[in-house]
Amino acid sequence: MRNIDEIDRKLLNILQDNSRVTIRELSERLHLSTTPIHERIKKLEKNGYIKRYITLLDPKALGKKLTVFISVSLSSHTKEVVDAFEHEVKKLPEVMECYYVSGNWDFLLKVQCNDMEDYHNFVIHKFSVIKNITQFYSSFVMSESKQTYKYEL
């Protein structure tokens, strides 16, 4: 971690827990005035430590009760084939995460669906029509034991 000090680390840890915390609250917790806090946040944003501010939703509350990890093999590893696959996957709202990986498979996708029928429709009508997929394997999540987006700083 370049160019960040202990105060920046504390600031990032607080913001990871609650990005809606006010500048005033941050200044009280870190014992600094609001201007340096604001300047530090802007510096952290500019230097790429803070990518964006988001609200995390509960998929189950939205009816997305089925999580599936799909391992995908492509017919070729050319730039064109990989780029085309990534381009098509980005269009699919069910795909929450997509990773180009090494090993027995080429890609690992995290997919959220309402239920098995919804997943079946996703596979038949959206996913399996993507060109250059030679094989895919679905792993269904039975329970989640850990999910975090916080980095220990």
Side-chain angles (χ1 to χ4, degrees), residues 68-151:
V68 185
F69 287 93
I70 305 176
S71 302
V72 183
S73 287
L74 300 180
S75 61
S76 160
H77 298 108
T78 66
K79 180 174 178 11
E80 294 77 22
V81 168
V82 170
D83 288 349
F85 177 78
E86 288 176 332
H87 178 75
E88 291 302 313
V89 165
K90 287 177 183 177
K91 296 178 188 177
L92 303 173
E94 296 88 349
V95 177
M96 305 305 293
E97 299 174 37
C98 175
Y99 302 96
Y100 187 30
V101 297
S102 64
N104 295 333
W105 302 94
D106 299 316
F107 281 89
L108 180 64
L109 311 179
K110 180 181 178 183
V111 174
Q112 293 283 165
C113 292
N114 294 335
D115 52 29
M116 188 59 77
E117 182 179 355
D118 189 33
Y119 179 68
H120 175 77
N121 288 326
F122 164 76
V123 168
I124 297 299
H125 300 293
K126 295 180 178 181
F127 185 69
S128 66
V129 298
I130 297 174
K131 292 181 180 175
N132 296 308
I133 296 176
T134 57
Q135 185 179 18
F136 67 91
Y137 180 84
S138 302
S139 298
F140 299 91
V141 173
M142 296 190 306
S143 69
E144 181 181 291
S145 48
K146 181 179 179 179
Q147 181 186 54
T148 186
Y149 297 98
K150 185 174 181 179
Y151 294 96

Side-chain angles (χ1 to χ4, degrees), residues 10-119:
K10 289 178 182 178
L11 180 58
L12 288 170
N13 280 325
I14 293 168
L15 289 171
Q16 285 185 96
D17 285 330
N18 178 9
S19 65
R20 293 185 64 178
V21 65
T22 66
I23 299 289
R24 172 172 270 124
E25 290 175 75
L26 289 168
S27 68
E28 290 170 6
R29 288 176 66 178
L30 297 174
H31 309 291
L32 292 172
S33 65
T34 56
T35 300
I37 293 291
H38 187 268
E39 289 171 355
R40 283 174 177 271
I41 290 172
K42 289 299 170 200
K43 180 187 81 171
L44 292 166
E45 291 170 344
K46 181 182 173 206
N47 291 335
Y49 288 98
I50 298 173
K51 285 175 68 171
R52 61 186 169 160
Y53 299 91
I54 62 170
T55 299
L56 297 176
L57 304 177
D58 181 350
K60 288 183 177 70
L62 300 171
K64 304 294 181 189
K65 296 178 180 152
L66 183 65
T67 303
V68 185
F69 287 93
I70 305 176
S71 302
V72 183
S73 287
L74 300 180
S75 61
S76 160
H77 298 108
T78 66
K79 180 174 178 11
E80 294 77 22
V81 168
V82 170
D83 288 349
F85 177 78
E86 288 176 332
H87 178 75
E88 291 302 313
V89 165
K90 287 177 183 177
K91 296 178 188 177
L92 303 173
E94 296 88 349
V95 177
M96 305 305 293
E97 299 174 37
C98 175
Y99 302 96
Y100 187 30
V101 297
S102 64
N104 295 333
W105 302 94
D106 299 316
F107 281 89
L108 180 64
L109 311 179
K110 180 181 178 183
V111 174
Q112 293 283 165
C113 292
N114 294 335
D115 52 29
M116 188 59 77
E117 182 179 355
D118 189 33
Y119 179 68

